[in-house]
Amino acid sequence: ITMNAQYEGLKLWDKDVVRFLNSDHVPVYQPIEEFLYDLPRWNGKDYIGNLAKRVPCDHPYWTQLFRRWFLSMVAHWRGMGKNHANSTSPILIGPQAYRKSTFCRLILPPCLQAYYTDSIDFSRKRDAELYLNRFLLINMDEFDQIGISQQSFLKHILQKPVVNTRRPNASAVEDLLTDTSGSRRFIGVEVTGVIDVVRPIDYEQLYAQAMAALRSNERYWFDEKEEAIMTEANREFEQSPAIEQLFQVYYRAAEEEEEGEWLLAADILQRIQKASKMKFSSGQVNYFGRILQRLGVKSFRKTRGVYYHVMPVE
């Protein structure tokens, strides 16, 4: 700006531009508020449900879960989510030709498309958090390419009530969720056909419906029942960690009437390590304990730690 002004013969310096931008002569511009608070009255039709139904799938709860996620997205745009993180994101699973990314982009109205991105690098944590503050909707394309170390950071930011990710998108059907303890944070849905991205969307009514629902205090966060639904539905996309697979090779959960052995997770892991000749870090002991609990291995706590009731596989 300064250089262009000087080309026109004006005596202008960088500090003059900064002073002007920080002055009352430049009004504060909030594009999302300008859009949301200038919407017409909702006409009563289910635009959010119809948008969800554009995605062909066999998930019986997809429409219900998408509605909850959509309300959460708008609520966090409005700064309502101080107590509830936007901790759940849909994952669309299917071939590239099914228009998944196009559908993600269509969620935002044309006037807000500048605040959509499908480029985010979780290996650069500082940049990732800046993106989460800058954009309204983030499509994490090729979700299955995110490494395990990056998924731990992803889980961390999904738990934060102020800085949140939006809509991840994937292109592989199997073994998407390597951290199975975090599967309740995703709505995994396998797309069974090409998504309808051709019919026009009435964005004013779509978002007017969301605003009407939030004004009537409709819940915009997922409850325990919905989280249980997502966890169960996501099992087909989970990747069993090597440590879990090795446990099932050498041990199983002991039945109630079986004597078995009561062992610490560290002891079981040490035996598996010796038998398989694979090395595990000390930090994996707690992680291994969570795996045993998820597998339903009976346990009880003593002074030394938690003991698990297991039987060797013969």
Side-chain angles (χ1 to χ4, degrees):
I1 294 174
T2 302
M3 291 177 66
N4 288 337
Q6 290 178 352
Y7 289 148
E8 296 294 329
L10 300 177
K11 294 182 179 180
L12 187 70
W13 305 98
D14 294 0
K15 63 181 180 181
D16 299 317
V17 177
V18 174
R19 185 184 301 116
F20 175 73
L21 291 175
N22 291 328
S23 72
D24 293 337
H25 292 282
V26 179
V28 175
Y29 175 55
Q30 300 285 359
I32 187 61
E33 290 187 9
E34 184 173 290
F35 173 73
L36 291 178
Y37 291 99
D38 195 32
L39 293 170
R41 182 183 297 273
W42 176 46
N43 62 18
K45 296 180 181 179
D46 186 10
Y47 291 88
I48 300 175
N50 289 335
L51 180 61
K53 291 174 183 176
R54 290 175 177 240
V55 180
C57 66
D58 296 325
H59 196 309
Y61 298 99
W62 163 243
T63 302
Q64 170 191 336
L65 298 175
F66 179 84
R67 177 189 178 90
R68 193 77 64 214
W69 171 82
F70 193 91
L71 293 182
S72 179
M73 176 182 70
V74 176
H76 282 83
W77 288 355
R78 295 179 56 193
M80 296 173 60
K82 302 300 183 183
N83 297 322
H84 301 280
N86 187 12
S87 57
T88 302
S89 301
I91 304 180
L92 302 183
I93 304 160
Q96 291 183 350
Y98 279 6
R99 304 291 188 267
K100 302 184 304 298
S101 293
T102 303
F103 175 77
C104 294
R105 183 181 293 276
L106 285 177
I107 291 173
L108 289 187
C111 64
L112 296 177
Q113 283 291 317
Y115 306 99
Y116 168 90
T117 185
D118 54 13
S119 175
I120 184 169
D121 184 357
F122 284 100
S123 66
R124 303 173 63 178
K125 296 182 180 181
R126 175 60 179 165
D127 289 348
E129 294 211 359
L130 290 174
Y131 267 49
L132 297 174
N133 276 307
R134 177 180 178 185
F135 294 99
L136 295 173
L137 185 65
I138 295 178
N139 166 22
M140 293 187 295
D141 210 6
E142 308 299 338
F143 178 75
D144 55 329
Q145 300 301 313
I146 298 177
I148 294 178
S149 60
Q150 293 174 3
Q151 283 201 24
S152 63
F153 174 64
L154 173 59
K155 183 200 293 188
H156 165 69
I157 59 177
L158 282 175
Q159 293 172 329
K160 299 174 72 172
V162 177
V163 178
N164 307 280
T165 58
R166 301 302 180 195
R167 186 179 187 83
N169 182 311
S171 62
V173 174
E174 299 177 346
D175 298 341
L176 283 172
L177 304 179
T178 56
D179 180 2
T180 55
S181 65
S183 64
R184 64 182 175 83
R185 295 178 177 84
F186 303 102
I187 310 171
V189 55
E190 183 174 355
V191 182
T192 57
V194 178
I195 300 174
D196 178 8
V197 295
V198 176
R199 281 183 298 137
I201 298 173
D202 189 336
Y203 288 105
E204 290 194 339
Q205 283 298 318
L206 173 67
Y207 284 92
Q209 179 185 1
M211 291 289 284
L214 294 173
R215 278 194 293 265
S216 64
N217 296 320
E218 180 173 339
R219 177 169 50 85
Y220 60 86
W221 60 91
F222 293 86
D223 60 16
E224 291 184 0
K225 182 178 179 181
E226 290 167 331
E227 288 182 347
I229 289 172
M230 291 184 288
T231 299
E232 181 62 31
N234 286 339
R235 294 197 187 281
E236 63 177 299
F237 308 122
E238 291 178 354
Q239 180 184 49
S240 298
I243 195 172
E244 177 181 339
Q245 297 177 36
L246 284 170
F247 169 76
Q248 294 173 329
V249 169
Y250 295 102
Y251 289 94
R252 61 174 174 82
E255 301 293 338
E256 192 71 34
E257 66 279 0
E258 292 180 313
E259 180 178 356
E261 293 183 87
W262 289 92
L263 298 171
L264 293 166
D267 294 334
I268 301 173
L269 197 59
Q270 188 176 39
R271 293 186 184 186
I272 292 175
Q273 183 171 274
K274 183 177 180 180
S276 65
K277 294 183 172 54
M278 290 188 65
K279 295 189 179 298
F280 301 103
S281 66
S282 57
Q284 290 181 287
V285 175
N286 291 335
Y287 175 57
F288 182 52
R290 293 199 301 270
I291 289 176
L292 295 177
Q293 292 173 13
R294 183 169 58 80
L295 292 175
V297 180
K298 189 177 180 180
S299 64
F300 76 93
R301 181 177 292 278
K302 292 182 67 175
T303 305
R304 288 190 59 203
V306 179
Y307 286 76
Y308 296 91
H309 195 199
V310 297
M311 279 287 292
V313 174
E314 298 179 359

